[in-house]
Amino acid sequence: MKNQFLIVSTIVIASFALVSMTVKDFEIQDPWEVPAKYEKMQNPHVGDADADQVGRMLYKEHCASCHGTKGEGDGKKADTVDTEVPDFTDGTLSEQSDGSLYYKTFIGRDDMPGFQEKISDEKQQWLIVNYIRTLGS
Ligand code: HEC
């Protein structure tokens, strides 16, 4: 009798553990808070004609591996990170300020590497922001 109780409770506890692990896998990422200082940052290169050329080149070199050539979040490395790589073509970028996109790209968090050191030229940084915006349209 005692043994049976032990077996049943072990099964119950194990199933709970399994279910909570599975649920965690599908959890949506926490909202990404952007500090006000960044959110309000002005982009000095809005509409810069270089965005298409230079921005695209930098994107291909540094971002497409995860975010995909078209920004759909389907790059080769996307499956190797735990966090879902967001789709830039779903319209969510247009709801965010240039400063927010700058913050997320160059400060980063968890699986999104901060690119401040790899891409330190300020103009290049903003051209990437300009370029990823064009992927949504
Ligand atoms: C190693 C894979 C990887 C690389 C390389 C990478 N990213 Fe990301 N990126 C991610 C992941 C994963 C997230 C989601 C992070 C989160 O929500 O915590 C993300 C999120 C973002 C976001 C936020 C999108 C949103 O909807 O809020 C932006 C903007 C972004 N990346 C831009 C870039 C740019 C620009 C580059 C290249 C300079 C780049 N990323 C390179 C994996 C990557």
Side-chain angles (χ1 to χ4, degrees), residues 58 62 77 106 113-121 124-125:
L58 291 165
H62 299 282
K77 268 168 85 182
F106 297 103
F115 277 89
Q116 213 157 35
E117 276 169 29
K118 268 197 178 151
I119 307 167
S120 55
D121 183 87
Q124 292 192 343
Q125 293 179 339

Side-chain angles (χ1 to χ4, degrees), residues 28 67 70-73 84-96 101 104 132-137:
I28 298 168
H67 287 282
K70 292 185 179 151
E72 288 168 338
E84 194 177 333
V85 178
D87 181 355
F88 288 160
T89 67
D90 66 2
T92 44
L93 293 194
S94 63
E95 294 160 11
Q96 307 185 49
L101 299 180
K104 291 178 175 183
I132 59 173
R133 277 207 187 288
T134 68
L135 295 169
S137 51

Side-chain angles (χ1 to χ4, degrees), residues 29 62-63 66-67 86 88 96 104-105 109 112 115 128:
Q29 271 295 86
H62 299 282
C63 323
C66 289
H67 287 282
F88 288 160
Q96 307 185 49
K104 291 178 175 183
T105 304
R109 78 164 177 185
M112 169 59 209
F115 277 89
I128 295 183

Side-chain angles (χ1 to χ4, degrees), residues 14-28:
S15 344
F16 267 117
L18 240 148
V19 167
S20 60
M21 269 157 59
T22 323
V23 168
K24 202 165 174 267
D25 258 353
F26 291 105
E27 216 171 68
I28 298 168

